[in-house]
Amino acid sequence: MTSKNGNAVGKVIQRLNCAVYTRKSSEDGLEQEFNSLDAQREAGEAYIKSQASEGWECQFACLRASPIRRAQSANACNAGTATI
């Protein structure tokens, strides 16, 4: 027997903390408003969200490869407002 979300009734869902790691081999294009690191992060977050019924949960990440983004993210994490 299964529930509405497809899990077996009575199945214990264990929480799984997840993080998204992104990287870029060069700094070309990092100055763009939206770059490949952003696209990688969004794709990773979307996949983690798609697995929420299995207990997956995305955790905040405070570092980015770009020095500009790293400073912005650190400020957001310190303020508790990072959106990951």
Side-chain angles (χ1 to χ4, degrees):
M1 177 191 268
T2 59
S3 64
K4 290 181 183 179
N5 65 6
N7 292 322
V9 173
K11 179 180 175 183
V12 175
I13 303 296
Q14 186 172 5
R15 185 171 141 201
L16 180 64
N17 294 324
C18 302
V20 177
Y21 172 78
T22 63
R23 68 177 298 269
K24 188 161 174 11
S25 58
S26 71
E27 293 196 18
D28 295 339
L30 289 178
E31 70 284 348
Q32 298 172 350
E33 182 70 26
F34 185 85
N35 59 52
S36 65
L37 293 174
D38 298 313
Q40 291 174 48
R41 180 183 45 79
E42 286 187 1
E45 289 172 357
Y47 186 74
I48 291 169
K49 286 178 185 176
S50 78
Q51 302 301 307
S53 65
E54 296 298 318
W56 291 31
E57 185 175 306
C58 192
Q59 300 300 307
F60 290 103
C62 297
L63 299 177
R64 299 279 192 271
S66 162
I68 295 169
R69 296 233 193 281
R70 188 177 303 128
Q72 291 170 341
S73 295
N75 290 339
C77 284
N78 290 338
T81 59
T83 55
I84 299 296

